[in-house]
Amino acid sequence: MRNVGIIGIGYTPVFVSKRKDVNIPEMISEAVDAAFVNTGLTPADIDAIVFGNMHTFEGVNLPHLWAAEHIRSLGKPVMRIATGGTTGMAAFHAGYYNVASGLADVVMVVTYEKHSEGDAQVGLMGIITPELMTMLSAGIDVTGGSGMGAIGGGSAGGISFQASSYLYHSGAGIEHIDAQAALERRNAAKNPYAHLKDPEATAEKIAQTPLVSWPIRFGHICPTTDGATVCILASEERAAKLADKTAWVLSVANCASDATTANLIESQITDPAEHRPAVIASRQAYERAGIVDPKKEIDYVEIYNGFAHQTLMYLEKIGMCEVGEAHKLQEAGELEMSGRCPVNASGGVVSTNAIGTSALNRVTECALQVMGQAGEHQVEKDVHKALAHGWGGMMQYVTITILGDKPKKG
Amino acid sequence: MMEETREVQGTWDLSTLKFRIEGVGLRRMLDGMKEGKLIGTKCHKCGTVYLPGPFNCRKCHIAINEPAEVSDHGEIMTFTIGYADVRGNPLEEPRVAPVVKLDGCDSWIMGVLQGVKPEDVHVGMRVKVQWAENLTGSLQDMAYYVPE
């Protein structure tokens, strides 16, 4: 396995709810161009391309081939990866495998989502269609008013069971979810590539937004965003020639459990808040990176939080604190940009969610922190090692990437 | 350069999809519900009981097919309170939706809870199935849960 580093990042100029001035390939192209401008590379320097976006969200099922010339993949190896919310990081992992294995020296990872041209609910339907058909054939009440089965409301309906179970097992309250959403929307105000920004956000303000599905309020939920993100990876040898600064990949890991949504065909047996995949993948990633005590050795964390409670829940799962401690760290101010355990200085997914990009943005935001290039949302403490977390699939798939300011030895 | 996106009306005809949608265990469960019974499937090796039953045990990875009756009483493992319907319109009354682990069963089942104020619902609460008046072998037969 060769050492691999991140040598360049490209974002669309903005992440907003509706980009009406560009179509999908044009928007992707903006991020690709930004990555070339930021690195001084040209398409000729790229050996292979990995592409990622959500399945069926825009009704385009071969975007990587439709937008071939826009991602400069003509005459080069290209593959598309779609693993739900984790898509961006799964694509990043595939890019890493390419370089670490020696198959390629420089790989470009391209991700996007243009929610305004699609329908996230139809996309999510496309994930559970057989399940839904089963329920319909077995006499489910689709309004959710009676009988056994799913309650409507897309992923907010499903996720509320996770949030509720997390609160029960951790001792945290809905006020901590409010406070976490507020903290991250304040952080987002310092990030030019964030979507929902509110420098004045407070827990009280979030608490005034309507309950959608207790304990999840409107203010706890991610937006639907248009945007694209590109990340260029290179081998140690090429990085030395091509880049002034590099964020080194120390380890990657991923893990799934059984689907923890309403699993009617096979029956649900796993607590959606138990999330062993996050425990397993993070421990594997620590071991591979030679990290013994993450609480001491990981300086910065980016959590994939489509819903605000997930920041707290996953901090516990990945061992950055004990079970029941995350909300206490929050109360003590330790999760702020100035704290001992800064998390989601970018604003997290709860502030910006162009889904295909979201798990990759956790990695690129960790890279910016490690390289000291996060600008106004650079955290106060020195960041030598950072952990990026992705969540997705049928609510039960987790990806982990650990970055460092020095390449791994040995 | 067009400034605006345009909408084109269309529908997705799901009837063109030919899913094999009925698992063995789900059929067994629906048939049992006609008699007011909940029949799951038990792993003969580790004893795990699933409702509805898959045809392999998720823990032992072996084929399973042993019917096992499950109680219609159980415990709330997690729950939510819905304030909006599937289309996002506000509900007149908040709806309590628990996920229940029935006695004698290891898997969890969702549903609707009636006869309790939303603020009184808690994890660990004991509930029982309120069966529909006419049992037809449909998921509607388990009409809702009520406190035990």
Side-chain angles (χ1 to χ4, degrees):
Chain A
M1 296 271 277
R2 303 194 297 171
N3 275 329
V4 181
I6 295 170
I7 60 165
I9 295 163
Y11 290 139
T12 37
V14 287
F15 283 73
V16 291
S17 57
K18 287 188 177 67
R19 282 295 303 279
K20 291 186 170 186
D21 55 329
V22 284
N23 64 26
I24 289 172
E26 287 166 343
M27 187 186 76
I28 295 168
S29 204
E30 288 178 337
V32 172
D33 286 342
F36 285 135
V37 167
N38 293 343
T39 55
L41 301 183
T42 69
D45 297 308
I46 307 293
D47 298 328
I49 285 136
V50 186
F51 187 98
N53 79 303
M54 256 327 247
H55 352 50
T56 58
F57 270 38
E58 296 87 359
V60 183
N61 280 327
L62 294 170
H64 59 305
L65 301 176
W66 179 39
E69 62 271 46
H70 294 80
I71 62 173
R72 321 296 191 271
S73 68
L74 303 180
K76 295 183 194 286
V78 61
M79 65 160 69
R80 178 198 180 200
I81 289 190
T83 57
T86 41
T87 289
M89 208 184 298
F92 177 87
H93 285 186
Y96 168 83
Y97 301 154
N98 258 302
V99 181
S101 66
L103 280 175
D105 291 328
V106 182
V107 174
M108 183 163 74
V109 182
V110 182
T111 63
Y112 90 96
E113 215 65 58
K114 198 158 191 281
H115 274 293
S116 69
E117 290 193 27
D119 184 333
Q121 296 294 12
V122 171
L124 292 168
M125 260 271 303
I127 298 171
I128 58 153
T129 316
E131 199 70 44
L132 194 75
M133 297 298 233
T134 302
M135 293 178 186
L136 289 169
S137 75
I140 199 78
D141 172 5
V142 285
T143 69
S146 69
M148 193 195 92
I151 308 300
S155 58
I159 205 69
S160 51
F161 292 117
Q162 182 189 71
S164 174
S165 178
Y166 156 73
L167 290 185
Y168 173 77
H169 290 289
S170 69
I174 190 168
E175 65 277 12
H176 295 102
I177 311 181
D178 296 338
Q180 194 56 39
L183 183 158
E184 299 194 26
R185 299 270 165 79
R186 289 195 302 272
N187 287 354
K190 298 186 171 182
N191 176 5
Y193 300 100
H195 177 178
L196 295 181
K197 312 173 185 211
D198 182 0
E200 308 298 322
T202 59
E204 292 70 28
K205 232 166 134 177
I206 297 283
Q208 286 165 3
T209 62
L211 278 161
V212 175
S213 193
W214 187 92
I216 297 296
R217 300 185 198 283
F218 185 75
H220 301 162
I221 303 177
C222 56
T224 54
T225 308
D226 288 359
T229 300
V230 169
C231 180
I232 300 178
L233 289 159
S235 64
E236 198 165 4
E237 194 184 323
R238 297 286 284 143
K241 290 195 182 77
L242 296 172
D244 302 331
K245 280 218 161 161
T246 303
W248 298 97
V249 181
L250 302 183
S251 68
V252 301
N254 72 65
C255 185
S257 69
D258 51 323
T260 57
T261 42
N263 194 342
L264 256 197
I265 299 178
E266 300 280 309
S267 81
Q268 179 188 330
I269 198 158
T270 306
D271 181 343
E274 181 189 4
H275 245 288
R276 282 189 49 74
V279 177
I280 294 167
S282 58
R283 298 318 182 270
Q284 267 187 347
Y286 295 142
E287 194 181 332
R288 289 170 183 170
I291 288 171
V292 181
D293 184 357
K295 294 188 189 80
K296 289 202 180 79
E297 295 176 70
I298 299 285
D299 303 306
Y300 179 72
V301 180
E302 276 280 344
I303 295 285
Y304 190 111
N305 57 340
F307 306 86
H309 73 280
Q310 294 184 311
T311 311
L312 302 168
M313 186 182 93
Y314 283 118
L315 281 173
E316 295 178 3
K317 302 293 172 196
I318 65 174
M320 287 303 288
C321 59
E322 300 305 312
V323 172
E325 265 188 4
H327 63 286
K328 292 175 182 154
L329 285 177
Q330 180 205 71
E331 286 172 358
E334 302 293 12
L335 306 184
E336 306 269 356
M337 278 190 221
S338 55
R340 276 190 309 138
C341 180
V343 61
N344 291 6
S346 63
V349 181
V350 81
S351 304
T352 315
N353 196 11
I355 291 197
T357 72
S358 290
L360 180 58
N361 283 19
R362 310 291 54 81
V363 178
T364 54
E365 286 296 326
C366 280
L368 291 173
Q369 294 287 346
V370 164
M371 297 191 286
Q373 296 176 342
E376 213 189 328
H377 65 287
Q378 181 76 38
V379 299
E380 273 184 33
K381 68 191 280 197
D382 288 343
V383 179
H384 301 290
K385 287 176 184 166
L387 181 146
H389 153 274
W391 162 76
M394 297 287 282
M395 293 178 44
Q396 91 294 23
Y397 181 52
V398 166
T399 53
I400 303 280
T401 302
I402 298 178
L403 301 179
D405 55 1
K406 295 184 186 69
K408 201 163 68 170
K409 292 186 181 67
Chain B
M1 176 72 75
M2 283 191 305
E3 277 305 306
E4 291 289 323
T5 47
R6 285 180 300 163
E7 277 189 23
V8 180
Q9 288 300 315
T11 54
W12 182 21
D13 182 358
L14 289 175
S15 72
T16 61
L17 301 169
K18 302 284 185 277
F19 291 114
R20 173 78 188 105
I21 48 183
E22 204 175 76
V24 176
L26 183 63
R27 183 70 266 157
R28 175 178 282 163
M29 181 175 118
L30 293 170
D31 288 346
M33 282 163 84
K34 286 180 199 165
E35 323 284 314
K37 288 181 179 164
L38 293 169
I39 313 290
T41 303
K42 183 177 181 173
C43 172
H44 53 272
K45 189 173 167 192
C46 71
T48 302
V49 175
Y50 301 86
L51 179 78
F55 54 57
N56 64 340
C57 176
R58 223 166 282 175
K59 297 175 182 174
C60 306
H61 306 293
I62 54 170
I64 58 173
N65 195 20
E66 188 183 312
E69 189 168 352
V70 167
S71 164
D72 59 1
H73 290 241
E75 182 179 319
I76 294 182
M77 304 304 283
T78 181
F79 67 93
T80 184
I81 302 158
Y83 295 86
D85 69 11
V86 213
R87 300 209 169 276
N89 303 312
L91 289 166
E92 279 179 30
E93 288 291 323
R95 180 189 292 154
V96 181
V99 186
V100 175
K101 191 170 173 200
L102 295 164
D103 297 345
C105 183
D106 294 290
S107 62
W108 302 11
I109 284 192
M110 298 163 82
V112 179
L113 177 65
Q114 296 197 355
V116 184
K117 290 199 188 92
E119 57 269 31
D120 295 337
V121 182
H122 58 90
V123 172
M125 187 174 182
R126 297 284 306 167
V127 295
K128 65 179 183 190
V129 173
Q130 179 64 54
W131 292 88
E133 268 179 47
N134 298 315
L135 300 178
T136 59
S138 121
L139 296 176
Q140 292 293 310
D141 291 351
M142 297 172 81
Y144 46 88
Y145 295 103
V146 290
E148 201 172 49

